[in-house]
PDB file of all heavy atoms in Angstrom:
ATOM      1  N   ARG J 277       8.348   9.732  -4.179  1.00  0.00           N
ATOM      2  CA  ARG J 277       8.097  10.724  -5.220  1.00  0.00           C
ATOM      3  C   ARG J 277       7.612  12.021  -4.588  1.00  0.00           C
ATOM      4  O   ARG J 277       6.807  11.995  -3.654  1.00  0.00           O
ATOM      5  CB  ARG J 277       7.033  10.217  -6.208  1.00  0.00           C
ATOM      6  CG  ARG J 277       7.404   8.973  -6.997  1.00  0.00           C
ATOM      7  CD  ARG J 277       6.172   8.410  -7.698  1.00  0.00           C
ATOM      8  NE  ARG J 277       6.480   7.400  -8.683  1.00  0.00           N
ATOM      9  CZ  ARG J 277       6.639   6.118  -8.424  1.00  0.00           C
ATOM     10  NH1 ARG J 277       6.507   5.675  -7.175  1.00  0.00           N
ATOM     11  NH2 ARG J 277       6.908   5.260  -9.382  1.00  0.00           N
ATOM     12  N   ILE J 278       8.054  13.132  -5.164  1.00  0.00           N
ATOM     13  CA  ILE J 278       7.558  14.454  -4.801  1.00  0.00           C
ATOM     14  C   ILE J 278       6.965  15.085  -6.050  1.00  0.00           C
ATOM     15  O   ILE J 278       7.557  15.017  -7.131  1.00  0.00           O
ATOM     16  CB  ILE J 278       8.685  15.357  -4.258  1.00  0.00           C
ATOM     17  CG1 ILE J 278       9.291  14.768  -2.980  1.00  0.00           C
ATOM     18  CG2 ILE J 278       8.173  16.776  -3.998  1.00  0.00           C
ATOM     19  CD1 ILE J 278      10.548  15.490  -2.518  1.00  0.00           C
ATOM     20  N   VAL J 279       5.801  15.685  -5.900  1.00  0.00           N
ATOM     21  CA  VAL J 279       5.174  16.430  -6.990  1.00  0.00           C
ATOM     22  C   VAL J 279       4.961  17.865  -6.530  1.00  0.00           C
ATOM     23  O   VAL J 279       4.487  18.107  -5.413  1.00  0.00           O
ATOM     24  CB  VAL J 279       3.814  15.815  -7.399  1.00  0.00           C
ATOM     25  CG1 VAL J 279       3.150  16.664  -8.478  1.00  0.00           C
ATOM     26  CG2 VAL J 279       4.007  14.389  -7.888  1.00  0.00           C
ATOM     27  N   ALA J 280       5.325  18.808  -7.368  1.00  0.00           N
ATOM     28  CA  ALA J 280       5.084  20.226  -7.107  1.00  0.00           C
ATOM     29  C   ALA J 280       4.198  20.766  -8.223  1.00  0.00           C
ATOM     30  O   ALA J 280       4.584  20.719  -9.396  1.00  0.00           O
ATOM     31  CB  ALA J 280       6.403  20.996  -7.067  1.00  0.00           C
ATOM     32  N   VAL J 281       3.019  21.244  -7.866  1.00  0.00           N
ATOM     33  CA  VAL J 281       2.099  21.779  -8.867  1.00  0.00           C
ATOM     34  C   VAL J 281       2.359  23.282  -8.999  1.00  0.00           C
ATOM     35  O   VAL J 281       1.934  24.067  -8.154  1.00  0.00           O
ATOM     36  CB  VAL J 281       0.633  21.493  -8.503  1.00  0.00           C
ATOM     37  CG1 VAL J 281      -0.293  22.036  -9.587  1.00  0.00           C
ATOM     38  CG2 VAL J 281       0.423  19.979  -8.336  1.00  0.00           C
ATOM     39  N   SER J 282       3.067  23.647 -10.048  1.00  0.00           N
ATOM     40  CA  SER J 282       3.376  25.048 -10.325  1.00  0.00           C
ATOM     41  C   SER J 282       2.302  25.591 -11.268  1.00  0.00           C
ATOM     42  O   SER J 282       1.120  25.380 -11.050  1.00  0.00           O
ATOM     43  CB  SER J 282       4.786  25.172 -10.909  1.00  0.00           C
ATOM     44  OG  SER J 282       5.125  26.513 -11.171  1.00  0.00           O
ATOM     45  N   SER J 283       2.694  26.257 -12.325  1.00  0.00           N
ATOM     46  CA  SER J 283       1.761  26.874 -13.264  1.00  0.00           C
ATOM     47  C   SER J 283       2.549  27.319 -14.482  1.00  0.00           C
ATOM     48  O   SER J 283       3.764  27.551 -14.394  1.00  0.00           O
ATOM     49  CB  SER J 283       1.089  28.089 -12.601  1.00  0.00           C
ATOM     50  OG  SER J 283       0.431  28.892 -13.553  1.00  0.00           O
ATOM     51  N   LEU J 284       1.864  27.479 -15.611  1.00  0.00           N
ATOM     52  CA  LEU J 284       2.541  28.104 -16.753  1.00  0.00           C
ATOM     53  C   LEU J 284       3.014  29.499 -16.407  1.00  0.00           C
ATOM     54  O   LEU J 284       3.973  29.997 -16.990  1.00  0.00           O
ATOM     55  CB  LEU J 284       1.607  28.142 -17.968  1.00  0.00           C
ATOM     56  CG  LEU J 284       1.296  26.801 -18.641  1.00  0.00           C
ATOM     57  CD1 LEU J 284       0.436  27.022 -19.885  1.00  0.00           C
ATOM     58  CD2 LEU J 284       2.573  26.049 -19.012  1.00  0.00           C
ATOM     59  N   ALA J 285       2.359  30.131 -15.412  1.00  0.00           N
ATOM     60  CA  ALA J 285       2.822  31.440 -14.931  1.00  0.00           C
ATOM     61  C   ALA J 285       4.123  31.324 -14.155  1.00  0.00           C
ATOM     62  O   ALA J 285       4.718  32.340 -13.791  1.00  0.00           O
ATOM     63  CB  ALA J 285       1.753  32.092 -14.053  1.00  0.00           C
ATOM     64  N   GLY J 286       4.576  30.103 -13.904  1.00  0.00           N
ATOM     65  CA  GLY J 286       5.891  29.862 -13.320  1.00  0.00           C
ATOM     66  C   GLY J 286       6.949  29.598 -14.363  1.00  0.00           C
ATOM     67  O   GLY J 286       8.125  29.381 -14.039  1.00  0.00           O
ATOM     68  N   LEU J 287       6.558  29.624 -15.631  1.00  0.00           N
ATOM     69  CA  LEU J 287       7.496  29.498 -16.747  1.00  0.00           C
ATOM     70  C   LEU J 287       7.603  30.793 -17.539  1.00  0.00           C
ATOM     71  O   LEU J 287       8.664  31.132 -18.054  1.00  0.00           O
ATOM     72  CB  LEU J 287       7.047  28.377 -17.700  1.00  0.00           C
ATOM     73  CG  LEU J 287       7.174  26.938 -17.213  1.00  0.00           C
ATOM     74  CD1 LEU J 287       6.565  25.990 -18.238  1.00  0.00           C
ATOM     75  CD2 LEU J 287       8.637  26.581 -16.975  1.00  0.00           C
ATOM     76  N   VAL J 288       6.476  31.497 -17.639  1.00  0.00           N
ATOM     77  CA  VAL J 288       6.407  32.746 -18.397  1.00  0.00           C
ATOM     78  C   VAL J 288       5.692  33.786 -17.533  1.00  0.00           C
ATOM     79  O   VAL J 288       4.590  33.528 -17.040  1.00  0.00           O
ATOM     80  CB  VAL J 288       5.628  32.548 -19.720  1.00  0.00           C
ATOM     81  CG1 VAL J 288       5.466  33.875 -20.438  1.00  0.00           C
ATOM     82  CG2 VAL J 288       6.333  31.533 -20.609  1.00  0.00           C
ATOM     83  N   GLY J 289       6.305  34.943 -17.337  1.00  0.00           N
ATOM     84  CA  GLY J 289       5.671  35.994 -16.560  1.00  0.00           C
ATOM     85  C   GLY J 289       4.426  36.508 -17.265  1.00  0.00           C
ATOM     86  O   GLY J 289       4.454  36.830 -18.453  1.00  0.00           O
ATOM     87  N   VAL J 290       3.317  36.570 -16.537  1.00  0.00           N
ATOM     88  CA  VAL J 290       2.038  36.979 -17.114  1.00  0.00           C
ATOM     89  C   VAL J 290       1.660  38.359 -16.573  1.00  0.00           C
ATOM     90  O   VAL J 290       1.653  38.562 -15.356  1.00  0.00           O
ATOM     91  CB  VAL J 290       0.930  35.965 -16.764  1.00  0.00           C
ATOM     92  CG1 VAL J 290      -0.407  36.410 -17.333  1.00  0.00           C
ATOM     93  CG2 VAL J 290       1.304  34.578 -17.290  1.00  0.00           C
TER      94      VAL J 290
END
Side-chain angles (χ1 to χ4, degrees):
R277 297 168 168 86
I278 298 171
V279 177
V281 181
S282 181
S283 166
L284 290 184
L287 289 175
V288 175
V290 178

